[in-house]
Amino acid sequence: MAHSHDDFAASVAVRISGDVPLVQAIGECKADCATHGIYIASGARYMGKREVWTGCPDCKEAQAAAELHAEAQQKAQAARQRIEAMVEDAAVPARFIGRTFENYKAATQGQQAAKQIVQSYAEDFAGHLKRGTGLILSGLPGTGKSHLAAAVLQSIMPMHCGLYTTCMNVIRMVRGTWRKDSDKSEAQVLHMLGTVPLLVLDEIGVQYGTDGEQTILFDVLDRRYRDMMPTILLTNQAKQGLKDFIGERSFDRMAETSRWVSFDWESYRPTARKEAA
Ligand SMILES: Nc1ncnc2c1ncn2[C@@H]1O[C@H](COP(=O)(O)OP(=O)(O)O)[C@@H](O)[C@H]1O
Ligand SMILES: [Mg+2]
Ligand SMILES: [Zn+2]
């Protein structure tokens, strides 16, 4: 009897020695996964002896997803360690560790709105990372800008790599590379600041921005803008003041990609002192 080509290939594949098939399908059966319930398992016999049944497909998928997740976390962790070796501030400065969305008290409507915007930003950080969209938190000192920015960083880690730093520190870091004995190059520092998945830049506009400082800031913000990397800017300036400080070109890029959040209430610091007393 004439075999079809496929039959012939199959019989070559499974019959390596004698008449014992290497792999032989032995049918399907219902199986019960403790987590996912009933599924159809298919069985195979290897070399005429060992029986193997397929496991729960949902468990298999969950395990693959968990492995991917763990791998992404490890990568983010390794990236953060490389970055922290470069920067004086850690990813979240010590005084902001433990400052979370949960312990941010939203007493007024303005505080509630700000918290809601910043928290939902953190919850959809993966989306913002894709679109390169950021936030500008603007308001007087003590209104909780750094608190909420630290809450974002803590909630996206360890899945994503983020960095908190101040405007002054960025300028100091870049200028530090101009020294002859610097162990890193300006290009390395700018690359790191340009590529970290979330950059939180605090204390913009605390001091007067010189042309040289504006140039450095523009370099960082423009890289992030071009590569669609999200940035959170924190400033005690209103729109015009921020524009004067970072320069019009940087301001336009930020305005295009960032949501402006005004923190227009009184400083929390007197309350914090009362709570501590
Ligand atoms: N709404 C709030 N609920 C709880 N703590 C707050 C709140 N706003 C500010 N704080 C606390 O007050 C202090 C000053 O806030 P901070 O975030 O540093 O202000 P900003 O960065 O706007 O100057 C911090 O200790 C912060 O945790
Ligand atoms: Mg602050
Ligand atoms: Zn299962």
Side-chain angles (χ1 to χ4, degrees), residues 118-180:
V118 179
Q119 187 164 12
S120 61
Y121 181 88
E123 279 159 9
D124 185 29
F125 181 68
H128 292 288
L129 186 55
K130 275 204 200 95
R131 298 187 293 275
T133 40
L135 294 172
I136 301 173
L137 311 185
S138 153
L140 293 177
T143 48
K145 303 181 296 294
S146 299
H147 182 130
L148 285 181
V152 175
L153 282 170
Q154 289 171 93
S155 78
I156 67 163
M157 294 190 304
M159 200 48 205
H160 299 280
C161 175
L163 172 71
Y164 169 97
T165 190
T166 62
C167 179
M168 260 332 285
N169 195 38
V170 164
I171 287 156
R172 215 183 308 131
M173 261 195 299
V174 172
R175 286 188 177 150
T177 64
W178 300 348
R179 287 196 322 257
K180 270 211 199 97

Side-chain angles (χ1 to χ4, degrees), residues 82 84-88 172-189:
R82 280 198 304 278
E84 284 181 3
M86 267 198 185
V87 192
E88 282 168 37
R172 215 183 308 131
M173 261 195 299
V174 172
R175 286 188 177 150
T177 64
W178 300 348
R179 287 196 322 257
K180 270 211 199 97
D181 61 344
S182 171
D183 56 350
K184 33 196 182 274
S185 68
E186 180 180 359
Q188 279 175 320
V189 167

